[in-house]
mmCIF file of all heavy atoms in Angstrom:
data_model
loop_
_atom_site.group_PDB
_atom_site.id
_atom_site.type_symbol
_atom_site.label_atom_id
_atom_site.label_comp_id
_atom_site.label_asym_id
_atom_site.label_seq_id
_atom_site.Cartn_x
_atom_site.Cartn_y
_atom_site.Cartn_z
ATOM 1 N N ALA A 205 -32.945 -20.656 -10.478
ATOM 2 C CA ALA A 205 -33.404 -19.307 -10.620
ATOM 3 C C ALA A 205 -34.941 -19.519 -10.828
ATOM 4 O O ALA A 205 -35.377 -20.723 -11.191
ATOM 5 C CB ALA A 205 -32.884 -18.681 -11.933
ATOM 6 N N ARG A 206 -35.780 -18.520 -10.554
ATOM 7 C CA ARG A 206 -37.238 -18.756 -10.693
ATOM 8 C C ARG A 206 -37.618 -19.034 -12.137
ATOM 9 O O ARG A 206 -38.439 -19.813 -12.364
ATOM 10 C CB ARG A 206 -37.913 -17.556 -10.234
ATOM 11 C CG ARG A 206 -37.862 -17.395 -8.689
ATOM 12 C CD ARG A 206 -39.021 -16.609 -8.120
ATOM 13 N NE ARG A 206 -38.632 -16.305 -6.694
ATOM 14 C CZ ARG A 206 -38.776 -17.198 -5.749
ATOM 15 N NH1 ARG A 206 -39.334 -18.348 -5.989
ATOM 16 N NH2 ARG A 206 -38.422 -16.908 -4.474
ATOM 17 N N ARG A 207 -36.950 -18.256 -13.061
ATOM 18 C CA ARG A 207 -37.169 -18.534 -14.569
ATOM 19 C C ARG A 207 -35.878 -18.614 -15.173
ATOM 20 O O ARG A 207 -35.011 -17.978 -14.739
ATOM 21 C CB ARG A 207 -37.989 -17.344 -15.114
ATOM 22 C CG ARG A 207 -39.319 -17.102 -14.586
ATOM 23 C CD ARG A 207 -39.918 -15.834 -15.070
ATOM 24 N NE ARG A 207 -38.982 -14.689 -14.800
ATOM 25 C CZ ARG A 207 -39.175 -13.466 -14.933
ATOM 26 N NH1 ARG A 207 -40.319 -13.067 -15.474
ATOM 27 N NH2 ARG A 207 -38.387 -12.545 -14.601
ATOM 28 N N HIS A 208 -35.865 -19.365 -16.327
ATOM 29 C CA HIS A 208 -34.479 -19.343 -17.047
ATOM 30 C C HIS A 208 -34.137 -18.028 -17.417
ATOM 31 O O HIS A 208 -35.010 -17.287 -18.022
ATOM 32 C CB HIS A 208 -34.585 -20.376 -18.206
ATOM 33 C CG HIS A 208 -33.291 -20.410 -18.932
ATOM 34 N ND1 HIS A 208 -32.119 -21.085 -18.459
ATOM 35 C CD2 HIS A 208 -32.848 -19.749 -20.125
ATOM 36 C CE1 HIS A 208 -31.156 -20.844 -19.252
ATOM 37 N NE2 HIS A 208 -31.543 -20.050 -20.225
ATOM 38 N N GLY A 209 -32.931 -17.577 -17.235
ATOM 39 C CA GLY A 209 -32.503 -16.198 -17.718
ATOM 40 C C GLY A 209 -32.462 -15.237 -16.469
ATOM 41 O O GLY A 209 -31.778 -14.273 -16.541
ATOM 42 N N ASP A 210 -33.102 -15.619 -15.355
ATOM 43 C CA ASP A 210 -33.090 -14.734 -14.127
ATOM 44 C C ASP A 210 -31.731 -14.908 -13.525
ATOM 45 O O ASP A 210 -31.142 -16.047 -13.672
ATOM 46 C CB ASP A 210 -34.230 -15.085 -13.220
ATOM 47 C CG ASP A 210 -35.540 -14.496 -13.624
ATOM 48 O OD1 ASP A 210 -35.585 -13.950 -14.699
ATOM 49 O OD2 ASP A 210 -36.514 -14.702 -12.961
ATOM 50 N N PHE A 211 -31.328 -13.900 -12.726
ATOM 51 C CA PHE A 211 -30.153 -14.123 -11.875
ATOM 52 C C PHE A 211 -30.551 -15.227 -10.917
ATOM 53 O O PHE A 211 -31.570 -15.525 -10.484
ATOM 54 C CB PHE A 211 -29.828 -12.854 -11.149
ATOM 55 C CG PHE A 211 -28.941 -11.830 -11.804
ATOM 56 C CD1 PHE A 211 -29.542 -10.816 -12.479
ATOM 57 C CD2 PHE A 211 -27.574 -12.108 -11.970
ATOM 58 C CE1 PHE A 211 -28.804 -9.880 -13.285
ATOM 59 C CE2 PHE A 211 -26.827 -11.135 -12.679
ATOM 60 C CZ PHE A 211 -27.393 -10.132 -13.364
ATOM 61 N N ALA A 212 -29.352 -16.036 -10.506
ATOM 62 C CA ALA A 212 -29.593 -17.146 -9.711
ATOM 63 C C ALA A 212 -29.920 -16.858 -8.291
ATOM 64 O O ALA A 212 -29.423 -15.903 -7.666
ATOM 65 C CB ALA A 212 -28.256 -18.023 -9.736
ATOM 66 N N LEU A 213 -30.836 -17.625 -7.679
ATOM 67 C CA LEU A 213 -31.128 -17.520 -6.234
ATOM 68 C C LEU A 213 -29.862 -18.170 -5.495
ATOM 69 O O LEU A 213 -29.540 -17.692 -4.409
ATOM 70 C CB LEU A 213 -32.331 -18.363 -5.790
ATOM 71 C CG LEU A 213 -33.631 -17.784 -6.277
ATOM 72 C CD1 LEU A 213 -34.771 -18.719 -5.866
ATOM 73 C CD2 LEU A 213 -33.861 -16.392 -5.697
ATOM 74 N N ALA A 214 -29.294 -19.188 -6.101
ATOM 75 C CA ALA A 214 -28.144 -19.851 -5.600
ATOM 76 C C ALA A 214 -27.491 -20.683 -6.653
ATOM 77 O O ALA A 214 -28.284 -21.158 -7.574
ATOM 78 C CB ALA A 214 -28.506 -20.733 -4.390
ATOM 79 N N GLY A 215 -26.170 -20.727 -6.761
ATOM 80 C CA GLY A 215 -25.530 -21.524 -7.793
ATOM 81 C C GLY A 215 -24.239 -22.130 -7.223
ATOM 82 O O GLY A 215 -23.682 -21.708 -6.257
ATOM 83 N N ALA A 216 -23.684 -23.119 -7.988
ATOM 84 C CA ALA A 216 -22.398 -23.733 -7.626
ATOM 85 C C ALA A 216 -21.568 -24.037 -8.825
ATOM 86 O O ALA A 216 -22.053 -24.627 -9.728
ATOM 87 C CB ALA A 216 -22.584 -24.941 -6.656
ATOM 88 N N ALA A 217 -20.262 -23.773 -8.757
ATOM 89 C CA ALA A 217 -19.359 -24.200 -9.791
ATOM 90 C C ALA A 217 -18.363 -25.009 -9.050
ATOM 91 O O ALA A 217 -17.821 -24.800 -7.915
ATOM 92 C CB ALA A 217 -18.559 -22.942 -10.362
ATOM 93 N N VAL A 218 -17.984 -26.197 -9.699
ATOM 94 C CA VAL A 218 -17.224 -27.281 -9.080
ATOM 95 C C VAL A 218 -16.027 -27.796 -9.948
ATOM 96 O O VAL A 218 -16.168 -27.890 -11.092
ATOM 97 C CB VAL A 218 -18.078 -28.495 -8.653
ATOM 98 C CG1 VAL A 218 -17.165 -29.573 -7.915
ATOM 99 C CG2 VAL A 218 -19.214 -28.111 -7.904
ATOM 100 N N ARG A 219 -14.848 -27.857 -9.246
ATOM 101 C CA ARG A 219 -13.771 -28.431 -9.990
ATOM 102 C C ARG A 219 -13.220 -29.585 -9.089
ATOM 103 O O ARG A 219 -12.894 -29.427 -8.022
ATOM 104 C CB ARG A 219 -12.616 -27.480 -10.250
ATOM 105 C CG ARG A 219 -11.503 -28.109 -11.030
ATOM 106 C CD ARG A 219 -10.262 -27.097 -11.132
ATOM 107 N NE ARG A 219 -9.610 -27.033 -9.947
ATOM 108 C CZ ARG A 219 -8.606 -26.115 -9.701
ATOM 109 N NH1 ARG A 219 -8.258 -25.251 -10.559
ATOM 110 N NH2 ARG A 219 -7.995 -26.158 -8.510
ATOM 111 N N VAL A 220 -13.045 -30.876 -9.739
ATOM 112 C CA VAL A 220 -12.490 -31.896 -9.035
ATOM 113 C C VAL A 220 -11.205 -32.409 -9.821
ATOM 114 O O VAL A 220 -11.315 -32.538 -11.076
ATOM 115 C CB VAL A 220 -13.484 -33.125 -8.903
ATOM 116 C CG1 VAL A 220 -12.774 -34.359 -8.274
ATOM 117 C CG2 VAL A 220 -14.646 -32.662 -8.007
ATOM 118 N N ARG A 221 -10.173 -32.703 -9.097
ATOM 119 C CA ARG A 221 -8.972 -33.242 -9.765
ATOM 120 C C ARG A 221 -8.655 -34.518 -9.220
ATOM 121 O O ARG A 221 -8.487 -34.679 -7.970
ATOM 122 C CB ARG A 221 -7.825 -32.271 -9.415
ATOM 123 C CG ARG A 221 -6.953 -31.818 -10.581
ATOM 124 C CD ARG A 221 -5.863 -30.980 -10.064
ATOM 125 N NE ARG A 221 -5.948 -29.743 -10.853
ATOM 126 C CZ ARG A 221 -5.449 -28.468 -10.342
ATOM 127 N NH1 ARG A 221 -4.922 -28.414 -9.157
ATOM 128 N NH2 ARG A 221 -5.582 -27.419 -11.035
ATOM 129 N N THR A 222 -8.503 -35.577 -10.026
ATOM 130 C CA THR A 222 -8.067 -36.912 -9.538
ATOM 131 C C THR A 222 -6.851 -37.322 -10.456
ATOM 132 O O THR A 222 -6.988 -37.496 -11.572
ATOM 133 C CB THR A 222 -9.207 -38.007 -9.835
ATOM 134 O OG1 THR A 222 -9.679 -37.848 -11.117
ATOM 135 C CG2 THR A 222 -10.321 -37.870 -8.766
ATOM 136 N N THR A 223 -5.760 -37.365 -9.759
ATOM 137 C CA THR A 223 -4.498 -37.832 -10.468
ATOM 138 C C THR A 223 -3.916 -38.834 -9.537
ATOM 139 O O THR A 223 -3.417 -38.469 -8.478
ATOM 140 C CB THR A 223 -3.573 -36.654 -10.694
ATOM 141 O OG1 THR A 223 -3.614 -35.643 -9.626
ATOM 142 C CG2 THR A 223 -3.825 -35.975 -12.083
ATOM 143 N N GLY A 224 -3.891 -40.090 -10.015
ATOM 144 C CA GLY A 224 -3.344 -41.159 -9.199
ATOM 145 C C GLY A 224 -4.217 -41.269 -7.947
ATOM 146 O O GLY A 224 -5.366 -41.269 -7.925
ATOM 147 N N ASP A 225 -3.434 -41.221 -6.785
ATOM 148 C CA ASP A 225 -4.121 -41.298 -5.475
ATOM 149 C C ASP A 225 -4.607 -39.850 -5.031
ATOM 150 O O ASP A 225 -5.352 -39.743 -4.005
ATOM 151 C CB ASP A 225 -3.339 -41.880 -4.310
ATOM 152 C CG ASP A 225 -3.114 -43.442 -4.577
ATOM 153 O OD1 ASP A 225 -4.017 -44.021 -5.350
ATOM 154 O OD2 ASP A 225 -2.206 -43.967 -4.115
ATOM 155 N N ALA A 226 -4.169 -38.853 -5.645
ATOM 156 C CA ALA A 226 -4.413 -37.484 -5.141
ATOM 157 C C ALA A 226 -5.784 -37.033 -5.715
ATOM 158 O O ALA A 226 -6.248 -37.305 -6.743
ATOM 159 C CB ALA A 226 -3.357 -36.538 -5.761
ATOM 160 N N LEU A 227 -6.504 -36.419 -4.682
ATOM 161 C CA LEU A 227 -7.866 -35.942 -4.886
ATOM 162 C C LEU A 227 -7.897 -34.498 -4.397
ATOM 163 O O LEU A 227 -7.469 -34.362 -3.382
ATOM 164 C CB LEU A 227 -8.827 -36.872 -4.149
ATOM 165 C CG LEU A 227 -10.304 -36.478 -4.277
ATOM 166 C CD1 LEU A 227 -10.864 -36.858 -5.731
ATOM 167 C CD2 LEU A 227 -11.044 -37.399 -3.280
#
Side-chain angles (χ1 to χ4, degrees):
R206 289 203 191 281
R207 295 168 305 185
H208 179 75
D210 282 2
F211 276 100
L213 291 177
V218 180
R219 184 186 72 189
V220 172
R221 228 180 238 156
T222 48
T223 33
D225 288 340
L227 179 69

